[in-house]
Amino acid sequence: MKNKTNTALIAVICVLIAIVFCAAVFFLVKGKSGDAENEESFQGPLPDSYVGSWALPADSHVLQSPRTADMTEDEVLADENDFGLMLTYGIYSSHRIGSVNNPTYKLEKNCGTDAMDEQGMQSSGIMDEFNSNASISKIEVYNEDGSQLCDTVFIIDDQYLVYYGTGNYVFCAVKLDAVG
């Protein structure tokens, strides 16, 4: 009788341990596989709405000039208009950085203006161009081996890309629509 009681007690303890373990695994997996829209930060593929070619609109202007500059705003606008920015799964390309094959992206949604200030951009002047309650997403771009940071760009309200371009001037690009 005592042997059956010990066996039953051990079985109950094993079942409880298994239930606790399964619950822990479930919550761990649920936390890591949540919707990217609700996660603060993740590394990997970008949302499709961010992927593509970005270019300066016809009425574009410089959002921020560097402290010292070798080029005029008109010169850098002409330079950037000829190039634009490519943000895809297989390549990241900008005039300032060049091309990075097989980049890795780290996305931080709703990062706020402090992230822009940390990159050296003066967010107070830049954000004057946008709605006061605009959402800001920060995208860090890494080389294909993932070790060296190449560039950081910001997506405002999921439709404007703010980035450092030619001569470290700050520009605002819009996504080009596919033709065809």
Side-chain angles (χ1 to χ4, degrees):
M1 177 81 171
K2 192 173 191 182
N3 196 15
K4 284 184 179 182
T5 305
N6 285 341
T7 304
L9 184 60
I10 291 172
V12 168
I13 291 172
C14 287
V15 168
L16 288 174
I17 289 172
I19 291 171
V20 169
F21 178 75
C22 288
V25 168
F26 172 78
F27 287 114
L28 182 66
V29 168
K30 182 181 177 188
K32 287 191 175 192
S33 68
D35 182 8
E37 289 289 322
N38 297 325
E39 291 182 9
E40 279 296 308
S41 167
F42 74 91
Q43 194 157 345
L46 293 172
D48 288 338
S49 61
Y50 295 175
V51 175
S53 294
W54 296 76
L56 299 181
D59 63 346
S60 64
H61 60 280
V62 170
L63 293 180
Q64 178 183 313
S65 300
R67 287 193 173 104
T68 59
D70 295 336
M71 300 172 76
T72 67
E73 288 188 10
D74 289 338
E75 290 171 327
V76 296
L77 278 168
D79 205 29
E80 279 300 312
N81 275 325
D82 289 341
F83 198 85
L85 192 132
M86 177 75 69
L87 189 66
T88 69
Y89 303 119
I91 193 166
Y92 171 83
S93 182
S94 74
H95 194 294
R96 186 173 81 107
I97 297 297
S99 294
V100 176
N101 292 321
N102 302 315
T104 303
Y105 300 102
K106 182 177 180 185
L107 172 67
E108 182 181 348
K109 288 252 189 204
N110 301 316
C111 65
T113 57
D114 288 345
M116 293 176 100
D117 294 328
E118 289 169 5
Q119 292 299 314
M121 295 179 180
Q122 296 171 346
S123 64
S124 59
I126 293 170
M127 294 309 292
D128 289 346
E129 302 276 331
F130 305 101
N131 189 342
S132 62
N133 60 352
S135 69
I136 304 170
S137 296
K138 173 182 165 183
I139 301 173
E140 294 176 333
V141 185
Y142 294 85
N143 286 336
E144 66 183 315
D145 64 4
S147 64
Q148 182 182 1
L149 178 67
C150 296
D151 213 356
T152 301
V153 299
F154 296 91
I155 305 286
I156 311 294
D157 287 337
D158 292 338
Q159 58 185 341
Y160 303 104
L161 189 142
V162 174
Y163 68 103
Y164 278 113
T166 301
N168 284 335
Y169 284 80
V170 177
F171 300 96
C172 177
V174 294
K175 190 171 176 190
L176 297 176
D177 292 326
V179 178

